[in-house]
Amino acid sequence: AWCDAAERRIDIAIHAGPVRLAVEVDGPTHFLHTGRPNGPTRLRNRLLARHGWMVRAVDVFAWRRLGGPQRRAYLEQLLQSAERDGARIPRRPPSAQV
C-alpha cells in the first residue's frame, strides 16, 4: 500500500475501522552492523506513525529461522503487541487496502 501523507510504501497494510496497522518486513538493508534499525528505517517508522499508522516490523532474519507453526505464533504475537498498544484488530483482518 502507499501512504500519500508520509510518501512511503507499506509492505502490509491492515485497515480495521479507525486502526491502520503497517506491517513492515525488515531485511538486511534495514539494519546497521550492530543489529539496530538504520536511519531510513527509523525515519520510515516515525513518518508512518506521525500519519496515523501503528507500525510493526517482521525481522526477516528471525522469520527465516522459524517453521510454519512458529511463524503463525510470531505473527500472532506481533498482532497482540499492536492490540496492547491500543489497536483493535479483528481475528480475520480484512484484505489490505491501497
Side-chain angles (χ1 to χ4, degrees):
W2 179 257
C3 176
D4 285 328
E7 296 183 355
R8 294 285 183 267
R9 184 182 57 80
I10 298 171
D11 292 334
I12 301 169
I14 299 173
H15 296 259
V19 174
R20 296 187 301 171
L21 177 63
V23 179
E24 293 292 330
V25 180
D26 290 349
T29 61
H30 293 271
F31 298 97
L32 300 171
H33 69 281
T34 61
R36 295 182 53 179
N38 62 20
T41 300
R42 291 178 21 231
L43 176 63
R44 173 204 71 198
N45 294 348
R46 282 194 314 268
L47 286 171
L48 290 173
R50 185 175 299 146
H51 293 287
W53 289 89
M54 181 175 289
V55 181
R56 291 294 183 269
V58 173
D59 179 345
V60 75
F61 300 112
W63 184 258
R64 288 178 182 161
R65 291 189 299 267
L66 302 174
Q70 294 170 316
R71 286 181 175 183
R72 181 179 177 95
Y74 182 96
L75 292 175
E76 286 176 356
Q77 185 177 26
L78 182 130
L79 293 175
Q80 287 172 0
S81 76
E83 287 175 336
R84 280 193 302 273
D85 289 346
R88 295 201 187 347
I89 302 166
R91 287 293 120 211
R92 293 188 54 123
S95 61
Q97 299 175 7
V98 179

